Amino acid sequence: MSSNKNALIRYKTLDKCLKNKYRKYTLEDLIDECSEALFEFEGKESYVSKRTVQLDLQNMRSEKFGYEAPIEVYERKYYRYSDPEYSIHNISVNESDLKAMNNAVQILKQFKDFSMFKEMNGVIQKLEDSIHATSQKSIIHLDKNEQLKGLEHIDILYESIASKKVLKILYKSFTARESNIFTVHPQLLKEFNNRWFLICLYKQKMYNLALDRMESIETDDSIVYIDMELDGDEYFKDIVGVTVSESMDPRNVVFWVDSGNAPYVKTKPLHKSQEIIKEDHDGTLFKICVQINYELERLLLGFGDSLVVHKPKKLRLKMEEKFNAGCKNYQSLVVPEEN
């Protein structure tokens, strides 16, 4: 058991003893109570030293953890709270704390209809009641699409990852004519551009499956789960979006952004590797080091005529082709006259 958890058990035990009005506790009694509490939690003999309990009492008296417990020694040997109503679990909060908690509640309330947070509704209501939270409108608005398909799957996917369960997912991609069953080892959940994806192991390769293309999910206990021990920060470090290639190395992507849009790219980098190569009154030349995937192409295309890819050449030509195709669509499309 960690030292932090040991300390919490001791503080809780000392608190119970110090507020007990019907028994007198000496320092030795407090040591015995703490040792016994740790024994119950750990299931093995655990002796707490005199110095440890004395230090615990000192910490509880101080402002170190915000307790400032009114611990007194009476009759020169017994310990108790001078305020019989005090408990470390009844710590008051100041006005600044209340405001901070109220702001947190307003943010949490924005998730109230989100499948994964439905069980939080009661908790949020209790927080509002306990801190007298106002019914003010939320100042912080999070981008979310409550009509997004697939959110109902998050619960079972999350639990399956946490409990290391293999899943059978009936899945139909945008390009497939029929639905297919994928037997996968779920590893991570990833949100990108207001859409959710499951990162999973399928036939010894990593795949990302969109939640909105999943039709049904069930666990399969007959297959031993394979844990890839993925770290999200490490796994996605070389990409924009969710599509990671196991065989592709990251490339230097050099692109120019005109002066009107360069400030947006400076303040919201396309990737954490972003650097400025050169800038003048016409615009800024940037560089990022990433794998070239579909999401990156879509992101670059989104800047329209304000962004031009310089390198690599293959990506530049691909962007040029897409813009030419788009131009032809505009020229050939017949739009009916408005009445």
Side-chain angles (χ1 to χ4, degrees):
M1 185 183 295
S2 69
S3 58
N4 285 343
K5 197 166 187 180
N6 279 345
L8 289 173
I9 293 170
R10 295 196 307 270
Y11 290 150
K12 183 177 180 181
T13 303
L14 291 171
D15 180 65
K16 180 185 70 174
C17 296
L18 295 171
K19 67 183 182 182
N20 189 339
K21 305 173 185 177
Y22 306 103
R23 179 178 168 182
K24 295 180 178 181
Y25 287 92
T26 64
L27 183 59
E28 287 70 25
D29 292 330
L30 296 177
I31 292 170
D32 290 341
E33 290 290 335
C34 288
S35 298
E36 186 175 335
L38 288 175
F39 172 76
E40 290 180 5
F41 276 93
E42 293 183 312
K44 60 181 180 181
E45 206 68 40
S46 182
Y47 178 75
V48 179
S49 70
K50 179 179 179 180
R51 178 177 172 78
T52 296
V53 173
Q54 287 176 324
L55 186 60
D56 287 343
L57 293 170
Q58 181 180 326
N59 287 336
M60 291 172 68
R61 283 191 179 109
S62 73
E63 299 178 0
K64 186 174 182 180
F65 301 120
Y67 295 146
E68 297 182 85
I71 301 171
E72 67 174 4
V73 181
Y74 65 104
E75 297 179 17
R76 297 188 176 183
K77 62 186 297 188
Y78 302 114
Y79 289 76
R80 69 182 177 190
Y81 288 140
S82 59
D83 178 0
E85 301 302 319
Y86 179 86
S87 170
I88 62 173
H89 302 296
N90 298 330
I91 302 172
S92 60
V93 292
N94 57 35
E95 191 66 25
S96 177
D97 295 331
L98 287 174
K99 287 182 179 179
M101 292 173 71
N102 185 39
N103 290 337
V105 166
Q106 298 305 322
I107 294 173
L108 283 171
K109 284 173 70 176
Q110 296 194 55
F111 290 97
K112 67 182 184 302
D113 297 322
F114 197 78
S115 172
M116 191 177 174
F117 287 84
K118 286 191 182 297
E119 294 182 6
M120 285 291 292
N121 286 351
V123 177
I124 294 171
Q125 186 59 56
K126 288 178 183 178
L127 277 172
E128 283 196 281
D129 294 341
S130 63
I131 66 175
H132 311 293
T134 63
S135 58
Q136 68 183 47
K137 64 180 182 180
S138 179
I139 296 172
I140 298 175
H141 179 75
L142 302 177
D143 188 18
K144 63 184 186 299
N145 184 352
E146 294 171 352
Q147 295 182 330
L148 185 66
K149 292 181 179 179
L151 293 183
E152 68 275 12
H153 300 314
I154 284 187
D155 292 333
I156 185 172
L157 294 175
Y158 181 93
E159 290 300 326
S160 298
I161 295 171
S163 57
K164 304 183 187 302
K165 296 282 188 180
V166 174
L167 296 175
K168 286 187 177 295
I169 300 176
L170 185 61
Y171 189 84
K172 185 178 182 182
S173 68
F174 287 118
T175 57
R177 293 183 178 180
E178 297 180 353
S179 303
N180 292 290
I181 293 178
F182 287 72
T183 301
V184 305
H185 302 254
Q187 307 292 324
L188 291 172
L189 282 166
K190 168 77 170 176
E191 187 270 342
F192 175 70
N193 200 21
N194 214 2
R195 195 174 179 217
W196 284 87
F197 299 85
L198 174 69
I199 312 303
C200 56
L201 181 68
Y202 173 66
K203 293 185 176 180
Q204 305 304 314
K205 291 186 178 182
M206 298 304 301
Y207 281 77
N208 56 278
L209 302 180
L211 269 63
D212 54 20
R213 307 306 299 166
M214 296 179 183
E215 298 179 355
S216 66
I217 304 173
E218 61 181 45
T219 58
D220 188 342
D221 295 323
S222 66
I223 301 175
V224 177
Y225 177 86
I226 300 174
D227 189 352
M228 299 300 291
E229 298 183 356
L230 290 188
D231 177 273
D233 291 334
E234 179 66 23
Y235 184 70
F236 296 110
K237 68 182 176 67
D238 291 329
I239 67 157
V240 171
V242 296
T243 306
V244 178
S245 170
E246 297 177 358
S247 58
M248 183 188 298
D249 292 326
R251 300 281 306 277
N252 285 328
V253 178
V254 179
F255 57 94
W256 175 88
V257 181
D258 66 25
S259 58
N261 292 273
Y264 296 101
V265 180
K266 289 178 185 177
T267 55
K268 188 185 177 184
L270 274 56
H271 186 261
K272 64 182 180 181
S273 64
Q274 181 171 297
E275 299 176 18
I276 293 176
I277 298 177
K278 181 175 69 173
E279 57 183 322
D280 54 34
H281 66 279
D282 291 325
T284 304
L285 197 63
F286 295 93
K287 180 180 76 173
I288 57 176
C289 186
V290 293
Q291 290 185 2
I292 297 172
N293 60 13
Y294 175 75
E295 293 96 308
L296 175 66
E297 292 176 12
R298 290 292 297 268
L299 178 62
L300 296 174
L301 286 168
F303 283 89
D305 61 354
S306 65
L307 182 149
V308 178
V309 172
H310 284 208
K311 298 178 181 179
K313 184 177 180 180
K314 186 176 180 180
L315 177 60
R316 175 187 171 87
L317 292 174
K318 192 169 187 179
M319 298 286 288
E320 188 178 339
E321 288 175 5
K322 288 183 178 293
F323 275 112
N324 287 333
C327 183
K328 289 179 181 177
N329 287 337
Y330 271 100
Q331 292 172 347
S332 61
L333 182 65
V334 177
V335 180
E337 295 285 337
E338 292 186 9
N339 295 329

